[in-house]
Amino acid sequence: MVNKFETTRLTILLPAGRLLLPVMAKANEVAQQYNLEVYLSTAQNLRLMGIKEEDVADIKAALAAVGAEFKAPGKFPVPRVCIGKRDCTMGVGDPERISRLILDKFGSRPMTKPKFKIAVAGCILSCAGVMTTDIGIVATRKGLDIYVGGKGGPHPNVARRIVRDTDEQTMLKVIGELVEFHDAHTPKKQRMFKLLEHPEFPYKDAV
Ligand code: SF4
């Protein structure tokens, strides 16, 4: 999409917020070559801004050659994560691992309908914004809790916990059910919170 300055942008997906060194080096190289801005998005991705339309294909090809993947319609959302137990004294879980499990299972799902997001936190402090994200995973000392229906924006909504103390395989099963329910009940795009009161929504609150 061209903005009012007649330039466009390219968003490089960064699973678990990790910026691999070859991608970082190439992004730096093309940013200098094409005089681009580099923006760290709120969804934890890397965005190059100020691209002329005629340069998009060359820039994409240069980045794809070092393994970069790009945001595009229909792509399954890359979870936003906190740093977790390896690097945070409060952490009891590993959001990077959980993100990888989710993307291994669903990353190639075709034509996923917008606009739900996923967040993963390494403890109940929920730094990754789990409580204001459509599907949220929180690691606890007893396992994984799953939240649904959070959102920000002008009318924020706090997510509801639908599963407590579960394991990774069950987490993947629940995410799969939520995504399929969203798909089946979403004409074009919608946030997950609108589905919470649907009579067939598959989960009640887990207290
Ligand atoms: S959610 Fe917990 S583990 Fe993650 S960064 Fe915040 S305090 Fe650390």
Side-chain angles (χ1 to χ4, degrees):
M1 183 187 298
V2 176
N3 66 14
K4 62 184 177 180
F5 303 114
E6 300 194 339
T7 59
T8 188
R9 60 262 179 202
L10 185 63
T11 300
I12 303 167
L13 300 175
L14 304 180
R18 266 62 175 184
L19 177 52
L20 300 180
L21 294 181
V23 175
M24 184 167 78
K26 187 57 73 176
N28 177 58
E29 183 184 315
V30 298
Q32 293 200 45
Q33 182 180 350
Y34 294 92
N35 194 27
L36 309 179
E37 272 190 296
V38 181
Y39 172 71
L40 302 176
S41 78
T42 54
Q44 231 168 34
N45 294 311
L46 188 88
R47 188 169 299 158
L48 299 175
M49 304 196 299
I51 305 174
K52 292 180 184 155
E53 279 293 335
E54 61 265 31
D55 295 331
V56 171
D58 287 347
I59 291 172
K60 272 185 107 166
L63 287 159
V66 294
E69 290 195 33
F70 308 100
K71 184 177 177 183
K75 273 218 160 181
F76 193 85
V78 172
R80 185 177 60 245
V81 305
C82 79
I83 52 177
K85 66 180 179 182
R86 196 194 71 186
D87 295 289
C88 176
T89 53
M90 297 296 291
V92 295
D94 182 352
E96 182 184 15
R97 172 184 165 80
I98 295 168
S99 173
R100 193 177 331 115
L101 290 172
I102 293 170
L103 290 176
D104 285 350
K105 178 93 177 172
F106 302 107
S108 59
R109 187 185 189 282
M111 298 313 296
T112 299
K113 289 179 184 165
K115 320 179 42 118
F116 72 87
K117 299 184 175 75
I118 302 175
V120 185
C123 82
I124 58 171
L125 294 182
S126 301
C127 295
V130 165
M131 299 303 163
T132 51
T133 299
D134 303 84
I135 298 175
I137 312 298
V138 174
T140 74
R141 295 193 185 284
K142 293 183 177 175
L144 300 171
D145 287 358
I146 302 174
Y147 291 78
V148 67
K151 75 177 204 64
H155 305 291
N157 193 61
V158 176
R160 283 162 37 182
R161 182 169 54 195
I162 57 168
V163 176
R164 290 188 73 166
D165 308 334
T166 196
D167 55 37
E168 293 174 345
Q169 288 311 309
T170 306
M171 171 201 72
L172 293 172
K173 177 171 159 289
V174 172
I175 291 175
E177 287 173 357
L178 292 172
V179 171
E180 293 309 319
F181 191 85
H182 178 269
D183 187 83
H185 297 88
T186 298
K188 260 179 123 175
K189 60 180 179 180
Q190 83 178 318
R191 301 300 299 265
M192 201 65 89
F193 89 99
K194 289 194 173 171
L195 296 171
L196 293 181
E197 304 306 328
H198 191 287
E200 291 166 18
F201 187 72
Y203 289 94
K204 305 257 182 260
D205 289 4
V207 290

